[in-house]
Amino acid sequence: MSLSSRELTPPRIFVLHENIPWVEPLRREFAAIDAPFSEWFLDRGLLDLTSTPPEGIFYNRMSASSHTRGHRYAPEYTAAVLAWLTKHARTIVNGERALQLEISKVAQYESLAKFGVETPATIAVIGREYIPQAAAAIGYPVILKHNRAGKGLGVKLIYSEAGLTEHLASEAFEDSVDGIMLVQRYIKAPEPFITRVEFIGGKLLYAVRVDTTQGFELCPADACQIQQPSEACPAIAPGDKFRILPRFEHPLIPAWQSFLAANDIGVAGIEFINDAQGCAYTYDVNTNTNYNPDAETRDGRRGMQAIALHLKRLLIERYGAASNLASAA
Ligand SMILES: Nc1ncnc2c1ncn2[C@@H]1O[C@H](COP(=O)(O)OP(=O)(O)O)[C@@H](O)[C@H]1O
Ligand SMILES: [Mg+2]
C-alpha cells in the first residue's frame, strides 16, 4: 500500500487499523453522514519517510491484540506511521502516546497514578521463573495477565501456590507477546460485573456494565462474542451480558478525562471494578474500543456514530466545510 499523498486528495478521514470486522460498523456510520474516508490496513507494507502524507484526519485504531490475528508487527508499523504523521503536523486522534498505552498496561497504570486513579497492586515480571516470587509478594488469589494483550488474553485467576506451579508447567500458560507478564491483586467484586466507561473526543459517551460470570473475555465487539449454549449459563439471557447504564456519574470522571487528555487519547473505553468496600480500581484502558451492538440497540446511543461525527467535525474544523464534499469526488 502507498501511504503518500499522491493519489488521495482532497482531505478525508483515514482509519488506521488491522481488523476489518471492527471497522465495519464505522464504515456504515461514515456512509450515513456522508463523510469521506479511507482505510489504512497496517500489517505489512512500505513507509517512505521522504514522502508527504495526504491531508486529512487520522484515527488510529491499532489494537494490542493484533498479534492474535497474525499481525505481529502491526503496532510497530503504526508507531512508525504515527511518527511520520506527527512530523507533518497532521491531526491525529489517538496519537503516538495513545498507542504506547494501548500496548502496555504498565504504561497505563503509571500514567493513571499521576492523576490519582487507583489501579490494582501489580508486579511486572520478565521471565516466567520470577512469577512465583511476584505472586507471593502480592498474596493469593492473584490475577496473571499480559502486559500487551486485550480481549482477556492470558488473564487467569490463580488461587494458590500449588495452582500457580501447575499453571506455569501446563500448556495453558502463554507468555505475553512483549515478554512482560503482570501479576496483579485480584479485586473481588461483591457482584459479578465490571464497568466500562466510553469516552469520545474526551467526553463521556456512556458506561456499560459487563457481566463477568462467563469469564474474563469481555471484548464488546460482536465478532468476539463466545457462543454459549443457554443451558450452560441460564442466568444470563443472550444479549444481557452488556448493559448500557441510562445514567452514569462517578467521582473519577474528571481524573480519567485529565489522564486521557494528557496522553493524547481522544477515544477510549476505560474499565474499572469495585471491591467489597466500594473502592474503584481502574485496570484497563482500551484506546481501540468497540461497542456492543445489542446493548446499543436497546439503549439507542451508538459509539461508532459518535466517533464518525467527531471525526467529521475535526475534518471540517481543520479544512473547512468544503472538505466534506470530498466524498462526492
Ligand atoms: N485485578 C483484577 N481483579 C479482578 N478481575 C480482573 C482483574 N484484572 C482483570 N480482571 C478481569 O479480567 C478481564 C480482562 O482483564 P483486562 O485487564 O481487561 O485485560 P484485557 O486487556 O485483555 O481486556 C477484566 O475485564 C476483568 O473481568
Ligand atoms: Mg479489558
Side-chain angles (χ1 to χ4, degrees):
M1 142 180 356
S2 162
L3 305 181
S4 75
S5 62
R6 259 154 292 173
E7 85 274 34
L8 285 170
T9 51
R12 52 180 52 224
I13 297 160
F14 294 88
V15 181
L16 283 54
H17 75 100
E18 56 73 48
N19 190 18
I20 288 164
W22 287 347
V23 177
E24 277 163 357
L26 188 54
R27 285 180 190 163
R28 288 195 290 273
E29 299 295 353
F30 282 139
I33 60 170
D34 210 17
F37 79 100
S38 293
E39 292 173 30
W40 282 0
F41 189 94
L42 296 180
D43 173 29
R44 305 165 78 86
L46 305 173
L47 173 62
D48 179 353
L49 300 188
T50 65
S51 68
T52 305
E55 293 291 342
I57 305 298
F58 296 81
Y59 171 37
N60 157 34
R61 280 190 56 85
M62 188 44 55
S63 161
S65 63
S66 51
H67 59 284
T68 67
R69 289 173 288 279
H71 306 145
R72 168 61 186 85
Y73 295 115
E76 286 76 9
Y77 188 7
T78 304
V81 170
L82 292 176
W84 172 65
L85 294 172
T86 302
K87 179 183 86 177
H88 290 279
R90 294 294 182 266
T91 300
I92 305 171
V93 172
N94 290 359
E96 292 182 279
R97 179 67 185 148
L99 179 62
Q100 283 171 13
L101 267 63
E102 169 69 15
I103 60 171
S104 171
K105 286 194 168 66
V106 168
Q108 295 172 19
Y109 297 167
E110 295 309 80
S111 181
L112 284 163
K114 278 200 211 162
F115 297 88
V117 177
E118 191 93 43
T119 56
T122 302
I123 298 179
V125 180
I126 295 86
R128 161 195 315 220
E129 67 277 25
Y130 291 101
I131 292 176
Q133 188 183 330
I138 295 281
Y140 292 93
V142 292
I143 288 273
L144 285 193
K145 63 168 80 167
H146 293 181
N147 183 50
R148 173 166 163 180
K151 301 195 305 181
L153 265 181
V155 179
K156 179 98 185 141
L157 175 59
I158 308 269
Y159 289 96
S160 65
E161 197 182 328
L164 180 63
T165 308
E166 193 182 315
H167 179 60
L168 292 179
S170 78
E171 287 198 355
F173 176 80
E174 201 190 332
D175 206 346
S176 177
V177 67
D178 67 355
I180 303 180
M181 286 298 289
L182 304 183
V183 178
Q184 188 167 89
R185 187 160 87 79
Y186 174 58
I187 309 297
K188 178 136 182 49
E191 288 177 80
F193 69 84
I194 63 102
T195 308
R196 178 160 165 145
V197 192
E198 300 290 352
F199 293 90
I200 294 175
K203 295 200 198 86
L204 173 72
L205 174 72
Y206 60 60
V208 57
R209 185 170 283 197
V210 190
D211 193 305
T212 53
T213 38
Q214 288 175 10
F216 293 145
E217 293 184 5
L218 306 179
C219 174
D222 224 10
C224 294
Q225 296 315 301
I226 304 161
Q227 294 309 315
Q228 183 107 19
S230 52
E231 341 39 14
C233 195
I236 307 175
D240 271 1
K241 183 170 165 183
F242 297 87
R243 190 164 66 79
I244 296 172
L245 304 174
R247 279 165 57 79
F248 180 71
E249 285 167 5
H250 199 282
L252 280 173
I253 291 174
W256 286 325
Q257 286 176 316
S258 303
F259 155 83
L260 294 174
N263 287 294
D264 194 17
I265 303 174
V267 177
I270 298 185
E271 296 177 356
F272 75 93
I273 193 165
N274 283 325
D275 71 4
Q277 283 72 46
C279 296
Y281 291 89
T282 302
Y283 62 84
D284 189 22
V285 178
N286 304 278
T287 67
N288 173 54
T289 190
N290 287 297
Y291 309 100
N292 184 256
D294 292 340
E296 289 200 336
T297 301
R298 287 193 299 273
D299 177 84
R301 285 170 284 182
R302 298 206 302 278
M304 289 300 181
Q305 179 190 49
I307 291 179
L309 288 167
H310 174 60
L311 296 173
K312 183 175 172 182
R313 198 160 36 240
L314 292 176
L315 184 70
I316 292 171
E317 266 169 33
R318 177 154 178 173
Y319 295 101
S323 62
N324 194 44
L325 298 174
S327 58

